[in-house]
Amino acid sequence: MAETTGYVVLEQRGVLAVTGEDRVAFLQGLVSNDMQAVTPERAVYSLFLTPQGKYLHDFMVAAEGDALLLEVEAARRDDLLKRLRMYKLRSKIALEDRTAERMVVALVGPDALARAGLPAEPGAAGAFAGGVAFTDPRTADLGARAILPAGTDLAALGLGRLPFEAWDSRRLELGIPDGSRDLEVEKAIPLENNLDVFNAISWDKGCYMGQELTARTRYRALIKKKLVPVTLDGPLPAPGTPVRLGDQEVGEMRSGLQNRALAMLRLEDLDRAAKEQIAFQSGDTMVTPHTPS
């Protein structure tokens, strides 16, 4: 974790707003988490899946006034808007892109949650600096997020700006995927990528897009591979580089930074490597998996 508490501007994130009296019911039937749980005091992390239960989008959802704010990948927000509009039908809602008027920041460091007035409880939310802040819904170990008016000066609150790497390194250490950097669109299975562990799925909310196959994957224990954090001894392999165990290809790399990265590996090979003390390799780099707490 960063030794200095500060903020990181997440320039790759955008903000969509869903307003109107049907906003909760509209999203409830489409996304993986419980929209009825979203209040000014609680935000959630959620997924928009294909009917086959494969990843399309992931986002934070926070309440602000009469709107549900979706904090999304900026580069892919038009695709999400298009998909949501397909299901609008007669719902009394409005969908807006508020990216130009908002900024998304991560608060990192040992005092990050205290500075935002938040407890170490995933999803705990409250007003902050003219916007809304919330403990990261995936794990409090990643600090807080905030959706603020564009141009907000956090220096007035005694917070200095930190580089993106201050947040990204901690994310990698914790094994948390970062949207389509790590999750293959229309291919990634939520449970293979630990999205259930990171609180993206409500198992008792009822039907949503992709719910049947997501539940089947869980209850039939169909997972054969997992996204895991790894440390590297050697050059950082590019995303998609194969990972080998001996002469056998057993997975591939995802995003990374310096000597940390994520890799998708088969569970049987993780067990085999541990038992036989065999090293994973990706190119010329030794890859050592870890199990985060």
Side-chain angles (χ1 to χ4, degrees):
M1 183 179 293
E3 293 183 1
T4 302
T5 298
Y7 71 96
V8 176
V9 178
L10 299 178
E11 296 176 346
Q12 78 277 26
R13 306 296 293 179
V15 179
L16 306 179
V18 186
T19 58
E21 61 184 87
D22 292 341
R23 61 189 181 276
V24 173
F26 170 73
L27 288 176
Q28 185 77 335
L30 293 176
V31 305
S32 64
N33 217 328
D34 187 359
M35 294 299 102
Q36 295 179 351
V38 181
T39 70
E41 291 76 41
R42 186 182 176 198
V44 303
Y45 174 52
S46 192
L47 309 171
F48 187 98
L49 304 173
T50 70
Q52 296 75 33
K54 303 296 180 61
Y55 167 82
L56 282 172
H57 294 273
D58 63 332
F59 40 82
M60 312 291 178
V61 185
E64 185 181 65
D66 62 354
L68 292 177
L69 300 181
L70 277 57
E71 188 236 277
V72 304
E73 284 187 81
R76 301 184 61 237
R77 68 187 188 276
D78 287 345
D79 179 79
L80 179 55
L81 266 176
K82 178 182 177 181
R83 293 178 187 275
L84 291 174
R85 284 171 176 151
M86 288 173 55
Y87 294 96
K88 181 177 181 296
L89 302 176
R90 296 185 180 180
S91 297
K92 296 177 182 179
I93 62 155
L95 297 164
E96 304 172 59
D97 184 350
R98 296 188 180 177
T99 301
E101 60 193 69
R102 297 300 176 105
M103 61 186 287
V104 178
V105 304
L107 302 178
V108 299
D111 301 321
L113 297 178
R115 293 290 189 93
L118 296 169
E121 176 188 343
F128 176 73
V132 58
F134 44 92
T135 305
D136 196 300
R138 296 165 295 188
T139 170
D141 290 338
L142 198 51
R145 304 278 272 231
I147 303 172
L148 307 174
T152 298
D153 182 11
L154 293 180
L157 300 177
L159 292 169
R161 182 167 178 172
L162 300 174
F164 176 73
E165 290 76 12
W167 175 83
D168 205 34
S169 178
R170 181 59 170 157
R171 172 189 72 83
L172 292 166
E173 180 184 356
L174 294 167
I176 299 176
D178 186 24
S180 59
R181 292 175 69 195
D182 297 298
L183 304 168
E184 293 184 280
V185 176
E186 298 187 358
K187 292 183 179 180
I189 296 172
L191 274 65
E192 288 184 348
N193 292 275
N194 303 308
L195 299 180
D196 54 330
V197 176
F198 293 125
N199 304 318
I201 300 169
S202 170
W203 296 109
D204 55 10
K205 63 165 279 186
C207 295
Y208 59 87
M209 186 88 72
Q211 181 266 342
E212 181 178 355
L213 290 175
T214 301
R216 186 182 304 168
T217 301
R218 181 195 191 197
Y219 294 118
R220 294 188 179 179
L222 299 175
I223 296 303
K224 298 185 182 300
K225 55 185 179 179
K226 280 281 189 178
L227 189 72
V228 297
V230 298
T231 54
L232 309 172
D233 184 4
L236 176 65
T241 303
V243 178
R244 296 184 176 277
L245 191 62
D247 295 331
Q248 186 179 15
E249 187 174 315
V250 298
E252 66 178 33
M253 300 298 299
R254 296 289 192 257
S255 66
L257 175 71
Q258 298 173 350
N259 70 333
R260 296 189 185 279
L262 302 181
M264 181 64 74
L265 300 172
R266 295 192 312 207
L267 293 175
E268 63 179 1
D269 295 306
L270 285 166
D271 290 340
R272 176 187 161 204
K275 290 176 182 177
E276 300 181 16
Q277 296 185 331
I278 308 172
F280 290 94
Q281 294 281 138
S282 183
D284 295 326
T285 299
M286 182 178 292
V287 177
T288 303
H290 297 281
T291 302
S293 58

